[in-house]
Amino acid sequence: MSVTREEVAKIASLARIKMGDAELDTMVPELNNILDWVEQLGEVDCSGVEPMTAVIPNSLRLRDDVVDAIPETAGGRREDVLANAPAAEHGFFGVPKVIE
Amino acid sequence: MSELTNLGVKAIRDGVADGSFTAREVAEAFNTAVADAADLNAFIVTTPDHALAAADAADAQRARGEDLGIMGGVPIGMKDLFATKGVQTTAASHILEGFTPEYESTVSQKLWDAGAGMLGKLNLDQFAMGSSNETSYFGNVNSPWRKEGSNAAMSPGGSSGGSSSAVAARIAPAATGTDTGGSIRQPAAFTGICGIKPTYGRCSRWGVVAFASSLDQAGPMARSVEDCAIMLEAMAGFDPKDATSLQMDVPTWEAGLDADLKGKKIGIPKEYRMDGTDEEILKSWEQGKEWLRDAGATIVDVSLPHTKYALPAYYIVAPAEASSNLARYDGVRYGLRDLPDGAGLQDMYAATRAAGFGDEVKRRILIGTYVLSAGFYDAYYTQAQKIRTLVSQDFEQAFAQCDAILAPTTPTASFPLGSLNEDPLTMYLNDVFAVPASLAGLPAMSVPATVNADGLPLGLQIVGKPFDEQGVLNAGLAMQQRSGFDAQPEKWW
């Protein structure tokens, strides 16, 4: 399977990466090389094989049902959360206007 | 005190503890060596004050007669993929340039708690995507090694290339690495040092910038097997903040080191004898078998029939997870924002990510987005996850016949920077021997074996059963004792 220039442009738009013509020109053959190469996986008979979901058997555990049980991931840290924001305003993340 | 920089983790820790020298003298010696090695470009930022503060704390503890911790007084390099509170953490990307975490990663915190100090944040391939350390926004890392009779800049491997370069150049006694598909083992092999990726889940991923979460594992890189055992002990352990963290006690790997392999069986996978593998690498593999036999092990042939498919499966699974993980870089919460005049929110996302990600990162995000998209998901992603099951079953069956597996770490020695750039695929093939253990979540280690005719190091890899880091370290130690590897790069930086 190979991808066309239009498809790569579509993928880039889905991935929210702006791509100019020159960049698309180099990206299309590179992606096709990689996709041609992974195509060989189709040779393998995988009937009856379950796709892997966990590499090391491990059960999901429940944490204690306590508010803010782990301080580092708890609430009440607005200043920390906003400290690296490119535009923090009035205690919130600032973004360009989204509603006219 | 320049000889202090020749010491490894154990020698520094024990020397500080018994008063042969102070931790401050050690930190000062390494800070000077780091400052003197800018030509390697191994560090993105240096943190001499952090190293000195930790050293002074260790010296003060000793004066009070307190226990110094298993890394007490040892200054290390920290791969710039670990969040460090108050110190810029970039993943070698433009999009995270200037990002200063408000929190500390679990692994780095454990190292500080064990008495280590930080020399600086080490360069790497951008978001750990690369095998040559040429995708960093902050420039290539140079290996301290060069081919005999040549001045060409060589690759330190990747993605932990700053770590491997720094440890090989003796400007850090040890460094953290992370391994998603070989990023600890391949750079270790390229630079003549040791590196171990533990079983998936041993080291917490909390605070480690995510690449492919089902594969990412942190581990130590140092110049000896003993040093790796000590540092891994400090890094590993259950962490409730990581849902995939193993709820198991950390073994005392250092105390358990034993190079006597009597009664152990070492498997040799026939599928690893691939076309294109360097003759000298095959020769070193034979030598490795001899060393292990000499240590008392029995060598047995094993088969890992799906080896050939591991790498292409990896190049679906890893980009798929990366495309999802890297969706968080949106110019809103942290990092770069590119807001063209009059742009709306969607345009801001697209412009920010275009300006902030390098070419290799974009390539992998696009591959990942494609293989996860409607209509292609089953053909690519589900199929790759099935292959991953088969690769894992291969190992299970092999481990019914052996205790550990011996293989080369890489198909070639290091290559000159820039020599594999024109085709991403050629670069990917460098991880062909490293990726299968990653897909199966197994502990795996690279140990230096010898140098080739060009004077460049070659590594050998031991892959172990799940949770059997001790078996891997012990086989590594047996090889280290017999290889007598003591080659060092000649200082040019």
Side-chain angles (χ1 to χ4, degrees), chain B residues 355-381:
Chain B
F357 292 137
D359 290 343
E360 181 61 23
V361 175
K362 289 179 187 172
R363 204 176 285 129
R364 296 202 196 188
I365 290 176
L366 293 195
I367 291 277
T369 306
Y370 180 67
V371 300
L372 291 176
S373 62
F376 300 104
Y377 186 95
D378 279 339
Y380 287 109
Y381 186 70

PDB file of all heavy atoms in Angstrom, chain B residues 355-381:
ATOM      1  N   ALA B 355       6.644  24.145  13.767  1.00  0.00           N
ATOM      2  CA  ALA B 355       7.883  24.840  14.158  1.00  0.00           C
ATOM      3  C   ALA B 355       8.633  24.082  15.252  1.00  0.00           C
ATOM      4  O   ALA B 355       9.847  24.168  15.357  1.00  0.00           O
ATOM      5  CB  ALA B 355       7.550  26.254  14.654  1.00  0.00           C
ATOM      6  N   GLY B 356       7.898  23.318  16.073  1.00  0.00           N
ATOM      7  CA  GLY B 356       8.500  22.750  17.278  1.00  0.00           C
ATOM      8  C   GLY B 356       9.079  21.365  17.138  1.00  0.00           C
ATOM      9  O   GLY B 356       9.934  20.958  17.923  1.00  0.00           O
ATOM     10  N   PHE B 357       8.604  20.591  16.156  1.00  0.00           N
ATOM     11  CA  PHE B 357       9.091  19.215  15.977  1.00  0.00           C
ATOM     12  C   PHE B 357      10.113  19.138  14.848  1.00  0.00           C
ATOM     13  O   PHE B 357       9.947  19.782  13.806  1.00  0.00           O
ATOM     14  CB  PHE B 357       7.939  18.266  15.603  1.00  0.00           C
ATOM     15  CG  PHE B 357       6.930  18.021  16.697  1.00  0.00           C
ATOM     16  CD1 PHE B 357       5.572  18.009  16.420  1.00  0.00           C
ATOM     17  CD2 PHE B 357       7.329  17.771  18.006  1.00  0.00           C
ATOM     18  CE1 PHE B 357       4.624  17.761  17.417  1.00  0.00           C
ATOM     19  CE2 PHE B 357       6.394  17.525  19.013  1.00  0.00           C
ATOM     20  CZ  PHE B 357       5.040  17.529  18.716  1.00  0.00           C
ATOM     21  N   GLY B 358      11.123  18.276  15.017  1.00  0.00           N
ATOM     22  CA  GLY B 358      12.090  18.032  13.952  1.00  0.00           C
ATOM     23  C   GLY B 358      11.542  17.049  12.925  1.00  0.00           C
ATOM     24  O   GLY B 358      10.473  16.454  13.108  1.00  0.00           O
ATOM     25  N   ASP B 359      12.297  16.842  11.843  1.00  0.00           N
ATOM     26  CA  ASP B 359      11.828  16.017  10.728  1.00  0.00           C
ATOM     27  C   ASP B 359      11.522  14.574  11.135  1.00  0.00           C
ATOM     28  O   ASP B 359      10.517  14.004  10.726  1.00  0.00           O
ATOM     29  CB  ASP B 359      12.869  15.993   9.604  1.00  0.00           C
ATOM     30  CG  ASP B 359      12.961  17.334   8.902  1.00  0.00           C
ATOM     31  OD1 ASP B 359      12.024  18.148   9.064  1.00  0.00           O
ATOM     32  OD2 ASP B 359      13.970  17.580   8.212  1.00  0.00           O
ATOM     33  N   GLU B 360      12.420  13.958  11.910  1.00  0.00           N
ATOM     34  CA  GLU B 360      12.208  12.559  12.275  1.00  0.00           C
ATOM     35  C   GLU B 360      10.967  12.415  13.159  1.00  0.00           C
ATOM     36  O   GLU B 360      10.207  11.460  13.025  1.00  0.00           O
ATOM     37  CB  GLU B 360      13.450  11.994  12.975  1.00  0.00           C
ATOM     38  CG  GLU B 360      13.361  10.520  13.387  1.00  0.00           C
ATOM     39  CD  GLU B 360      13.164   9.549  12.217  1.00  0.00           C
ATOM     40  OE1 GLU B 360      13.521   9.896  11.069  1.00  0.00           O
ATOM     41  OE2 GLU B 360      12.628   8.448  12.463  1.00  0.00           O
ATOM     42  N   VAL B 361      10.776  13.369  14.047  1.00  0.00           N
ATOM     43  CA  VAL B 361       9.599  13.328  14.922  1.00  0.00           C
ATOM     44  C   VAL B 361       8.328  13.463  14.084  1.00  0.00           C
ATOM     45  O   VAL B 361       7.361  12.714  14.262  1.00  0.00           O
ATOM     46  CB  VAL B 361       9.691  14.431  16.002  1.00  0.00           C
ATOM     47  CG1 VAL B 361       8.422  14.475  16.844  1.00  0.00           C
ATOM     48  CG2 VAL B 361      10.912  14.198  16.887  1.00  0.00           C
ATOM     49  N   LYS B 362       8.344  14.392  13.133  1.00  0.00           N
ATOM     50  CA  LYS B 362       7.170  14.560  12.254  1.00  0.00           C
ATOM     51  C   LYS B 362       6.890  13.287  11.473  1.00  0.00           C
ATOM     52  O   LYS B 362       5.746  12.852  11.321  1.00  0.00           O
ATOM     53  CB  LYS B 362       7.397  15.712  11.269  1.00  0.00           C
ATOM     54  CG  LYS B 362       7.365  17.069  11.915  1.00  0.00           C
ATOM     55  CD  LYS B 362       7.618  18.151  10.862  1.00  0.00           C
ATOM     56  CE  LYS B 362       7.768  19.497  11.541  1.00  0.00           C
ATOM     57  NZ  LYS B 362       8.197  20.544  10.579  1.00  0.00           N
ATOM     58  N   ARG B 363       7.969  12.682  10.937  1.00  0.00           N
ATOM     59  CA  ARG B 363       7.828  11.456  10.154  1.00  0.00           C
ATOM     60  C   ARG B 363       7.122  10.387  10.990  1.00  0.00           C
ATOM     61  O   ARG B 363       6.184   9.732  10.541  1.00  0.00           O
ATOM     62  CB  ARG B 363       9.233  10.993   9.763  1.00  0.00           C
ATOM     63  CG  ARG B 363       9.321  10.123   8.554  1.00  0.00           C
ATOM     64  CD  ARG B 363      10.795   9.836   8.248  1.00  0.00           C
ATOM     65  NE  ARG B 363      11.495  10.954   7.649  1.00  0.00           N
ATOM     66  CZ  ARG B 363      12.651  11.462   8.072  1.00  0.00           C
ATOM     67  NH1 ARG B 363      13.285  10.941   9.096  1.00  0.00           N
ATOM     68  NH2 ARG B 363      13.199  12.476   7.454  1.00  0.00           N
ATOM     69  N   ARG B 364       7.559  10.229  12.224  1.00  0.00           N
ATOM     70  CA  ARG B 364       6.972   9.170  13.057  1.00  0.00           C
ATOM     71  C   ARG B 364       5.549   9.515  13.479  1.00  0.00           C
ATOM     72  O   ARG B 364       4.700   8.637  13.578  1.00  0.00           O
ATOM     73  CB  ARG B 364       7.858   8.911  14.275  1.00  0.00           C
ATOM     74  CG  ARG B 364       9.214   8.388  13.831  1.00  0.00           C
ATOM     75  CD  ARG B 364       9.913   7.637  14.919  1.00  0.00           C
ATOM     76  NE  ARG B 364      11.326   7.496  14.594  1.00  0.00           N
ATOM     77  CZ  ARG B 364      12.178   6.751  15.279  1.00  0.00           C
ATOM     78  NH1 ARG B 364      11.758   6.060  16.325  1.00  0.00           N
ATOM     79  NH2 ARG B 364      13.439   6.663  14.924  1.00  0.00           N
ATOM     80  N   ILE B 365       5.275  10.782  13.733  1.00  0.00           N
ATOM     81  CA  ILE B 365       3.900  11.153  14.074  1.00  0.00           C
ATOM     82  C   ILE B 365       2.982  10.852  12.878  1.00  0.00           C
ATOM     83  O   ILE B 365       1.876  10.327  13.051  1.00  0.00           O
ATOM     84  CB  ILE B 365       3.807  12.650  14.467  1.00  0.00           C
ATOM     85  CG1 ILE B 365       4.499  12.879  15.817  1.00  0.00           C
ATOM     86  CG2 ILE B 365       2.350  13.109  14.526  1.00  0.00           C
ATOM     87  CD1 ILE B 365       4.558  14.335  16.245  1.00  0.00           C
ATOM     88  N   LEU B 366       3.441  11.148  11.672  1.00  0.00           N
ATOM     89  CA  LEU B 366       2.608  10.898  10.493  1.00  0.00           C
ATOM     90  C   LEU B 366       2.383   9.399  10.284  1.00  0.00           C
ATOM     91  O   LEU B 366       1.266   8.960  10.010  1.00  0.00           O
ATOM     92  CB  LEU B 366       3.226  11.510   9.228  1.00  0.00           C
ATOM     93  CG  LEU B 366       3.279  13.041   9.166  1.00  0.00           C
ATOM     94  CD1 LEU B 366       3.566  13.509   7.742  1.00  0.00           C
ATOM     95  CD2 LEU B 366       2.002  13.683   9.667  1.00  0.00           C
ATOM     96  N   ILE B 367       3.463   8.602  10.409  1.00  0.00           N
ATOM     97  CA  ILE B 367       3.308   7.145  10.293  1.00  0.00           C
ATOM     98  C   ILE B 367       2.306   6.647  11.335  1.00  0.00           C
ATOM     99  O   ILE B 367       1.390   5.869  11.039  1.00  0.00           O
ATOM    100  CB  ILE B 367       4.670   6.427  10.498  1.00  0.00           C
ATOM    101  CG1 ILE B 367       5.605   6.706   9.330  1.00  0.00           C
ATOM    102  CG2 ILE B 367       4.484   4.930  10.709  1.00  0.00           C
ATOM    103  CD1 ILE B 367       5.410   5.833   8.118  1.00  0.00           C
ATOM    104  N   GLY B 368       2.463   7.118  12.548  1.00  0.00           N
ATOM    105  CA  GLY B 368       1.588   6.692  13.634  1.00  0.00           C
ATOM    106  C   GLY B 368       0.143   7.090  13.394  1.00  0.00           C
ATOM    107  O   GLY B 368      -0.782   6.301  13.618  1.00  0.00           O
ATOM    108  N   THR B 369      -0.046   8.314  12.934  1.00  0.00           N
ATOM    109  CA  THR B 369      -1.402   8.786  12.657  1.00  0.00           C
ATOM    110  C   THR B 369      -2.039   7.947  11.550  1.00  0.00           C
ATOM    111  O   THR B 369      -3.206   7.560  11.632  1.00  0.00           O
ATOM    112  CB  THR B 369      -1.358  10.278  12.225  1.00  0.00           C
ATOM    113  OG1 THR B 369      -0.671  11.018  13.230  1.00  0.00           O
ATOM    114  CG2 THR B 369      -2.755  10.839  12.031  1.00  0.00           C
ATOM    115  N   TYR B 370      -1.231   7.608  10.549  1.00  0.00           N
ATOM    116  CA  TYR B 370      -1.740   6.819   9.421  1.00  0.00           C
ATOM    117  C   TYR B 370      -2.135   5.410   9.863  1.00  0.00           C
ATOM    118  O   TYR B 370      -3.231   4.939   9.572  1.00  0.00           O
ATOM    119  CB  TYR B 370      -0.671   6.754   8.327  1.00  0.00           C
ATOM    120  CG  TYR B 370      -1.095   5.960   7.104  1.00  0.00           C
ATOM    121  CD1 TYR B 370      -2.114   6.427   6.270  1.00  0.00           C
ATOM    122  CD2 TYR B 370      -0.470   4.760   6.778  1.00  0.00           C
ATOM    123  CE1 TYR B 370      -2.510   5.706   5.157  1.00  0.00           C
ATOM    124  CE2 TYR B 370      -0.855   4.031   5.668  1.00  0.00           C
ATOM    125  CZ  TYR B 370      -1.872   4.503   4.850  1.00  0.00           C
ATOM    126  OH  TYR B 370      -2.258   3.787   3.753  1.00  0.00           O
ATOM    127  N   VAL B 371      -1.240   4.711  10.592  1.00  0.00           N
ATOM    128  CA  VAL B 371      -1.532   3.318  10.947  1.00  0.00           C
ATOM    129  C   VAL B 371      -2.659   3.202  11.973  1.00  0.00           C
ATOM    130  O   VAL B 371      -3.228   2.124  12.152  1.00  0.00           O
ATOM    131  CB  VAL B 371      -0.288   2.546  11.457  1.00  0.00           C
ATOM    132  CG1 VAL B 371       0.791   2.517  10.396  1.00  0.00           C
ATOM    133  CG2 VAL B 371       0.247   3.117  12.762  1.00  0.00           C
ATOM    134  N   LEU B 372      -2.983   4.314  12.627  1.00  0.00           N
ATOM    135  CA  LEU B 372      -4.104   4.270  13.574  1.00  0.00           C
ATOM    136  C   LEU B 372      -5.401   4.780  12.953  1.00  0.00           C
ATOM    137  O   LEU B 372      -6.440   4.755  13.595  1.00  0.00           O
ATOM    138  CB  LEU B 372      -3.782   5.118  14.817  1.00  0.00           C
ATOM    139  CG  LEU B 372      -2.694   4.593  15.757  1.00  0.00           C
ATOM    140  CD1 LEU B 372      -2.429   5.600  16.866  1.00  0.00           C
ATOM    141  CD2 LEU B 372      -3.090   3.251  16.362  1.00  0.00           C
ATOM    142  N   SER B 373      -5.329   5.244  11.693  1.00  0.00           N
ATOM    143  CA  SER B 373      -6.516   5.891  11.132  1.00  0.00           C
ATOM    144  C   SER B 373      -7.540   4.857  10.677  1.00  0.00           C
ATOM    145  O   SER B 373      -7.213   3.704  10.405  1.00  0.00           O
ATOM    146  CB  SER B 373      -6.122   6.835   9.986  1.00  0.00           C
ATOM    147  OG  SER B 373      -5.528   6.097   8.947  1.00  0.00           O
ATOM    148  N   ALA B 374      -8.783   5.299  10.637  1.00  0.00           N
ATOM    149  CA  ALA B 374      -9.895   4.423  10.262  1.00  0.00           C
ATOM    150  C   ALA B 374      -9.604   3.751   8.932  1.00  0.00           C
ATOM    151  O   ALA B 374      -9.116   4.384   7.998  1.00  0.00           O
ATOM    152  CB  ALA B 374     -11.179   5.244  10.174  1.00  0.00           C
ATOM    153  N   GLY B 375      -9.810   2.448   8.841  1.00  0.00           N
ATOM    154  CA  GLY B 375      -9.589   1.729   7.592  1.00  0.00           C
ATOM    155  C   GLY B 375      -8.225   1.062   7.532  1.00  0.00           C
ATOM    156  O   GLY B 375      -8.034   0.111   6.781  1.00  0.00           O
ATOM    157  N   PHE B 376      -7.252   1.566   8.313  1.00  0.00           N
ATOM    158  CA  PHE B 376      -5.900   0.995   8.268  1.00  0.00           C
ATOM    159  C   PHE B 376      -5.487   0.382   9.601  1.00  0.00           C
ATOM    160  O   PHE B 376      -4.480  -0.299   9.696  1.00  0.00           O
ATOM    161  CB  PHE B 376      -4.888   2.062   7.854  1.00  0.00           C
ATOM    162  CG  PHE B 376      -5.179   2.638   6.504  1.00  0.00           C
ATOM    163  CD1 PHE B 376      -5.742   3.897   6.380  1.00  0.00           C
ATOM    164  CD2 PHE B 376      -4.924   1.905   5.347  1.00  0.00           C
ATOM    165  CE1 PHE B 376      -6.033   4.417   5.132  1.00  0.00           C
ATOM    166  CE2 PHE B 376      -5.215   2.428   4.104  1.00  0.00           C
ATOM    167  CZ  PHE B 376      -5.779   3.681   3.994  1.00  0.00           C
ATOM    168  N   TYR B 377      -6.281   0.659  10.613  1.00  0.00           N
ATOM    169  CA  TYR B 377      -5.948   0.250  11.982  1.00  0.00           C
ATOM    170  C   TYR B 377      -5.676  -1.251  12.074  1.00  0.00           C
ATOM    171  O   TYR B 377      -4.650  -1.689  12.596  1.00  0.00           O
ATOM    172  CB  TYR B 377      -7.100   0.652  12.902  1.00  0.00           C
ATOM    173  CG  TYR B 377      -6.850   0.438  14.376  1.00  0.00           C
ATOM    174  CD1 TYR B 377      -6.376   1.463  15.176  1.00  0.00           C
ATOM    175  CD2 TYR B 377      -7.105  -0.798  14.969  1.00  0.00           C
ATOM    176  CE1 TYR B 377      -6.161   1.288  16.533  1.00  0.00           C
ATOM    177  CE2 TYR B 377      -6.889  -0.994  16.328  1.00  0.00           C
ATOM    178  CZ  TYR B 377      -6.417   0.046  17.104  1.00  0.00           C
ATOM    179  OH  TYR B 377      -6.203  -0.151  18.441  1.00  0.00           O
ATOM    180  N   ASP B 378      -6.599  -2.074  11.545  1.00  0.00           N
ATOM    181  CA  ASP B 378      -6.427  -3.532  11.656  1.00  0.00           C
ATOM    182  C   ASP B 378      -5.253  -4.036  10.825  1.00  0.00           C
ATOM    183  O   ASP B 378      -4.489  -4.882  11.273  1.00  0.00           O
ATOM    184  CB  ASP B 378      -7.707  -4.262  11.231  1.00  0.00           C
ATOM    185  CG  ASP B 378      -8.715  -4.277  12.369  1.00  0.00           C
ATOM    186  OD1 ASP B 378      -8.283  -4.108  13.528  1.00  0.00           O
ATOM    187  OD2 ASP B 378      -9.911  -4.441  12.091  1.00  0.00           O
ATOM    188  N   ALA B 379      -5.147  -3.516   9.600  1.00  0.00           N
ATOM    189  CA  ALA B 379      -4.103  -3.996   8.698  1.00  0.00           C
ATOM    190  C   ALA B 379      -2.714  -3.702   9.253  1.00  0.00           C
ATOM    191  O   ALA B 379      -1.787  -4.494   9.076  1.00  0.00           O
ATOM    192  CB  ALA B 379      -4.257  -3.348   7.324  1.00  0.00           C
ATOM    193  N   TYR B 380      -2.550  -2.564   9.915  1.00  0.00           N
ATOM    194  CA  TYR B 380      -1.227  -2.197  10.419  1.00  0.00           C
ATOM    195  C   TYR B 380      -1.107  -2.428  11.919  1.00  0.00           C
ATOM    196  O   TYR B 380      -0.340  -3.269  12.371  1.00  0.00           O
ATOM    197  CB  TYR B 380      -0.926  -0.719  10.106  1.00  0.00           C
ATOM    198  CG  TYR B 380      -0.641  -0.457   8.662  1.00  0.00           C
ATOM    199  CD1 TYR B 380      -1.551   0.230   7.875  1.00  0.00           C
ATOM    200  CD2 TYR B 380       0.555  -0.879   8.070  1.00  0.00           C
ATOM    201  CE1 TYR B 380      -1.287   0.489   6.538  1.00  0.00           C
ATOM    202  CE2 TYR B 380       0.820  -0.624   6.738  1.00  0.00           C
ATOM    203  CZ  TYR B 380      -0.099   0.063   5.971  1.00  0.00           C
ATOM    204  OH  TYR B 380       0.172   0.330   4.666  1.00  0.00           O
ATOM    205  N   TYR B 381      -1.873  -1.677  12.694  1.00  0.00           N
ATOM    206  CA  TYR B 381      -1.639  -1.672  14.138  1.00  0.00           C
ATOM    207  C   TYR B 381      -1.987  -3.014  14.786  1.00  0.00           C
ATOM    208  O   TYR B 381      -1.179  -3.587  15.518  1.00  0.00           O
ATOM    209  CB  TYR B 381      -2.418  -0.533  14.809  1.00  0.00           C
ATOM    210  CG  TYR B 381      -2.083  -0.404  16.268  1.00  0.00           C
ATOM    211  CD1 TYR B 381      -0.838   0.064  16.677  1.00  0.00           C
ATOM    212  CD2 TYR B 381      -3.004  -0.782  17.247  1.00  0.00           C
ATOM    213  CE1 TYR B 381      -0.509   0.144  18.021  1.00  0.00           C
ATOM    214  CE2 TYR B 381      -2.679  -0.701  18.589  1.00  0.00           C
ATOM    215  CZ  TYR B 381      -1.434  -0.226  18.971  1.00  0.00           C
ATOM    216  OH  TYR B 381      -1.115  -0.145  20.301  1.00  0.00           O
TER     217      TYR B 381
END
